[in-house]
Amino acid sequence: MKKVEAIIKGNDFERVKNALKQVGIVPLTAYPVQGRGVQGGVPPYDLLPKIKIELVVKDEDLENVIDVIIMSARSGTPGDGKIFVLPVEDAIRIRTGERGNEALY
């Protein structure tokens, strides 16, 4: 299992969410954040509004999820965002006690 954290432009969120849903990835967490990369035209200490999406996926779904996020959030201009991938040791569905991949979706 992998945790995918994507920081994207706020106006791309609905497109990314819908694209993930189209490939069967519905569970996610999203919240507004502020940050900046190295893009020009922004004073060095100003932060820009972004959306952070977090989801845990099965290893076999990882590359597809990354591709979907890139295809639906890429404009080709600075500030499109970043994707981070982290290992996940376990997942537990509280309601049923299911563990691992069975607890994901």
Side-chain angles (χ1 to χ4, degrees):
M1 291 177 290
K2 300 290 189 257
K3 180 177 184 184
V4 177
E5 297 181 356
I7 301 171
I8 61 172
K9 294 177 182 175
N11 58 348
D12 291 335
F13 175 65
E14 287 298 320
R15 188 169 45 255
V16 170
K17 181 180 74 168
N18 291 332
L20 287 167
K21 183 178 178 183
Q22 290 294 317
V23 297
I25 307 295
V26 176
L28 60 80
T29 301
Y31 46 94
V33 295
Q34 292 185 351
R36 63 164 293 110
V38 294
Q39 69 265 31
V42 179
Y45 298 105
D46 283 354
L47 301 177
L48 301 171
K50 301 283 184 174
I51 297 288
K52 184 174 185 181
I53 301 170
E54 296 181 352
L55 54 158
V56 177
V57 300
K58 299 173 185 176
D59 289 338
E60 59 265 24
D61 293 333
L62 178 63
E63 290 304 318
N64 192 30
V65 166
I66 291 170
D67 290 344
V68 166
I69 294 170
I70 289 171
M71 288 188 302
S72 53
R74 178 185 280 164
S75 71
T77 60
D80 279 347
K82 293 271 193 308
I83 299 172
F84 303 99
V85 178
L86 300 91
V88 174
E89 287 189 33
D90 203 358
I92 300 100
R93 186 180 313 237
I94 294 172
R95 178 177 51 86
T96 63
E98 292 170 294
R99 297 185 80 122
N101 284 341
E102 291 74 34
L104 295 184
Y105 5 102

